[in-house]
Every structure is written in C-alpha cells, then in structure tokens.
Amino acid sequence: MKKYIKDLQVVNKQILSAEYYLLELSSNQPLPEVLPGQFAEVEITGSDATFLRRPLSVHDVDYDKNTISFLVQIVGKGTKHLANIEVGKILNVIFPLGKGFELIKSSENALLIGGGCGIAPLLYLARHLKKQGVKVSTLIGVRRSSQLIELDNYKKYGDVLITTEDGSEGTKGYVVNHPVFENLKQYKKIYTCGPEVMMKAIAKRANESRVDCEVSLENMMACGIGACLCCVTETTEGNKCVCTEGPVFNIHNLKWQI
Amino acid sequence: MADLKVNIGRLELKNPVLTASGTFGYGEEFADFIDLNRLGGIIVKGTTLHHREGNAYPRMAETPSGMLNAVGLQNKGVDYFIEHIYPRIKHYDSAIIVNVSGSIVEDYVATAEKLASLDKIPAIELNISCPNVKEGGMAFGTSCPGAKSVISAVRKVYPGSLMVKLSPNVTNIAEIAKVAEDEGADSVSLINTLLGMAVNAETRRPVLSTITGGLSGPAIKPVALRMVWQVYNAIKIPIIGLGGIMNATDAIEFFLAGATAIQIGTANFIDPQVTIKVIEGINEYLDRHNLKSVKELTGALQVVK
C-alpha cells in the first residue's frame, strides 16, 4: 500500500480522562484507504523534550467527514506534549503504515479484546467487521471503572463486555477472568491489543481452544517504515519489523511460549 | 542553479547528499516519499558475509536531541543482497554504495570481492566502526593496526571506490584517517555513532538489550564537526561528513569544516523527505552566496589566526 506524508489539521480534540484524549484530523485532500489495524507516525511539533515521531494506532476513519482519529494515552513526554495541541493546528502524519488485521467472513463471531489503550485500533476493526456481517463482541479490560472510555462507540458495532481489576464495573479481575473465556469456541477469531502480558494470556487460552488469534504489538519504533530495524519482534521466520510485517501478527507466527 | 556535482576520488556524484547506512534501508522503503533518482547516493544497510539476526529487542532509546540504537547489523547476507535486492535497486540513477561489515578480516574481504562483480555498485563503505557487534566492527576502527589490517586486505581485492567509515570512539581520529589514506582508501566517512547508554531509573534496568548502543542525531553534531575538521587537516582524500545533519544549514557546516559530501542518517526517521529538502537548501545557499559550485565550500571555514 502506498504511504503518504501529509499535513493534517486538528479539527477536534476531546479530553476523555486524565490519561486519554482523542484527536480527529482532517485532510484537504481525500484520505487514502486505511485498513483496520494500521497505524500512523505523528510528528510531535514544537517539543524540545522529544526527538522522534510517535506511532499511533488508527482509531477510526470517517470518509464522509474525511477525518482520521487517534485515541491517545498519555504515557510519556511525546503523548503529553501532543495532548496540548489546539484545534486548528497542523500535524504532519505519515500513514497508513503496517499491515492490518485479517478480517473474517460474514455470519461468523469475533471477539475483540482491548486492554487499556489497546482498545484504540479495535473500534475501526469493529466497524469493518460489522459492515461485512460479522457478529462482534468487544471485551474491554481496565484497572478501574473511571478508565472506561468511548463505550457507546463500541456498542454501535456489537456487545461490550467489561472487566475491572478492582471490580468497580463488570467482572472483577483481568480480561481472561471474564466468563466469555469459558466458551471461546463460539468465536471464529480473537483480535487483541494491549499490554503484552495480557495478550500472551489471551494467546494461551486461544491456542488451547484452537481459536484463531491475532495480536497487535506496540514495540518502540523510530522510523515506522522498515528502515531502522529497531522495532523487531521474534517470529518463526526470525526478527521481523513490527512496523512493516506487523503491527498485527497471528500468534502462531510469534515465538511466544503459549 | 549552482553546480552540485562532487568527486569522491574517481566516483562522481550528481550532488553531495547521500543517505547513511542503516537509516535508509535499501532505498525502496522511501520510494513513496521521494524520487530516489535525485539523491547523490544511497548507502544501503550494513551487509555481512553471512545472514545476521541482529540483537534482541529493545534496540532503540530516544535520548535528548537524538537516539541510541543497538540493531547489530541485522541483514540477510551478501549473497541474498546480490540475488534478491540488487536487481531491484540497480536501476536507480543514484550511486548505490554498499556498507560492508564483518567480524574477521577474511569476511570483509570475501564480502568486498563478491560486491566487486556488480556493475552498478561503484563503491563500498567499509564499516570498521559499528559499536553494536561483539566481534570485529568497531574493534578494527579503534586502533591503527586494526584499521590497517582490514583496509589493506580489502584494498587488494576491491578495485572500485573504497570509502572507510570511521569510529568517533577513539582518542585521535586523524591517526586512523591517515591509516585509511596510506592504505589506499579513496575516501573516509565520519562519524559513525558514539557509544552511549540509557538507563530506566524506575526499573533500574538498561533500556537497550545490549546495555550500550550507538548515539546518533543532532546531539552528536558538534563532535562530528570537530572530527571532520581534524581529519580535514590531516589527510588529502575526500571526506564524507555525517552526524546529526537535519537540514541544509547543518550540511553546509560540514562542507565548511572540510567535507566534500555528506550523509543524512537519523533525520530520515523523522522526515522521510529530508534528503530532498537538504539538496534544495544547499542549492539555495549557493545561489544566495553567489557560488558556482558546492566544491567551493569544502574546507572554506574562515579561521582567524
């Protein structure tokens, strides 16, 4: 897929919680095709404390409005600086990058599992899956209920299931403690993004139940286009760049102990 | 429009802007963003005799005005390059230069010999300065006898233009540059990355899997400029300057300090179009200063004595 470098304008910014914000960017030209699971490298304009771009998952693309949005968690200096950008300002963005999720066919069931900011790429995935007739369930795991964001958006595409570590909403515990794991075979495929320890636990259970499973990795990157070879993960075919061969990988192509 | 052509020994470049090895893949990665035919040269990823998996993740740490890397020369080996990559990139109207690395002298020699048979590879860059491999690499570039052993051996088998990439992790870089010149190198490129380290205070762990890695980016530009100047005053063969060049002004500074051409490295990660902007910026500078050729800038630093 052709990659673009474009100046996009911030048309909407929503502070969702102390940690999360949503940026909606618009282009003066029609946006190129973006697949669910792909990401962008966003320039952190005017930040002395950072040097590199930041890779951000595509949260949603609205071709009617010609906007692309990113759900961002403040994790360091770059994402903190970006949180202060004002509506109307320009961000330089390289996109679409990486390979996306492999979609299943209509009338099959999909389980989408997001941990923390790992929900970011799942909204656009849910939108695509539903569009082609897949029954979507989204399981969201957070530490406490105050971290639950954007639930109504996910509900547009199917059921939303919740776990909280403190039990303040939904099932108490981690995502793998949710009752849905007692009958994983009802799903044709599991798609997940979040902390690696969570994805490994899910991969183990998916493997035991013989359910296909794709994970989206968040390795640290410099270039995002396969030039620096910094973001590699170990696969059955050796070290592969997460930015170009991923960020989505089938669990059987990774060398995880599951 | 000024004349941007430069000569690196027998090698003529259409302009003095090359891409630094390990920051530009094989060029193809950037084809969506720029016209690769406009570059003076493309120095492809470090190539070794045999396939290398490179170091474990994490391989990168962002640092003030720069970054550390510890990639460790991940590549599929010279035979794979010749069979699969070379046919795809040889048609570019830009000097395609292969960066050659190894653990022992014999590996450098065997790799250089294989590359010598390729019509569209006019030069190799001998990497005696990689800080991220356990054996070889920088070990050759940090002592005069080490540098001499590998450069003289490769010179015997490689008839093309031989560029030697120098390590900044030495007390006196001019000494090593002199060895390169004496052993028949056509040019030297400097600097490779500076050995550095990043620590996570919260976890008390090193950030990189290898603990130490190579520092690049604008943080190292003053060191690079100083070394280019020192080497310029010590040798007569052309110098290709690199280290933290982010724009045309940085490039001009390297020319003034003694470089004939420059390489752009880490900046490619932030702006994949930076090379073209630098070429255009150099041209604009030359016009503004009424200079006919970029060659007039090399070593033109005005030092009041």
Side-chain angles (χ1 to χ4, degrees), chain B residues 128-176:
Chain B
I128 57 169
S129 44
C130 179
N132 290 325
V133 291
K134 283 202 183 91
E135 293 166 340
M138 195 171 82
F140 289 109
T142 51
S143 79
C144 290
K148 182 176 174 166
S149 67
V150 63
I151 299 166
S152 66
V154 170
R155 181 72 285 179
K156 286 192 187 87
V157 301
Y158 188 74
S161 188
L162 179 62
M163 185 187 299
V164 177
K165 189 169 187 176
L166 304 181
S167 172
N169 302 301
V170 293
T171 310
N172 184 350
I173 195 167
E175 269 179 16
I176 313 281

Side-chain angles (χ1 to χ4, degrees), chain B residues 85-100:
Chain B
I85 300 168
Y86 174 66
R88 298 202 306 259
I89 63 173
K90 67 177 185 182
H91 63 278
Y92 289 128
D93 183 24
S94 171
I96 308 288
I97 298 170
V98 179
N99 179 286
V100 173

Side-chain angles (χ1 to χ4, degrees), chain B residues 114-125:
Chain B
K114 286 171 187 268
L115 293 167
S117 66
L118 306 179
D119 294 343
K120 303 288 183 182
I121 304 290
I124 59 172
E125 180 180 56

Side-chain angles (χ1 to χ4, degrees), chain A residues 63-113:
Chain A
Y63 287 100
D64 294 331
K65 287 163 66 187
N66 203 38
T67 59
I68 182 167
S69 60
F70 301 96
L71 174 64
V72 191
Q73 182 181 17
I74 297 176
V75 289
K77 291 169 184 162
T79 44
K80 191 171 179 182
H81 186 89
L82 191 61
N84 294 321
I85 192 152
E86 292 158 12
V87 170
K89 291 278 197 263
I90 300 295
L91 280 177
N92 186 268
V93 182
I94 303 174
F95 74 108
L97 301 174
K99 291 177 180 162
F101 295 102
E102 266 187 36
L103 304 192
I104 53 173
K105 294 188 215 75
S106 65
S107 76
E108 294 174 327
N109 296 344
L111 178 61
L112 282 52
I113 309 176

Side-chain angles (χ1 to χ4, degrees), chain B residues 71-84:
Chain B
V71 172
L73 295 172
Q74 179 179 327
N75 80 102
K76 291 187 171 164
V78 67
D79 290 336
Y80 184 92
F81 171 80
I82 292 170
E83 197 174 329
H84 298 282

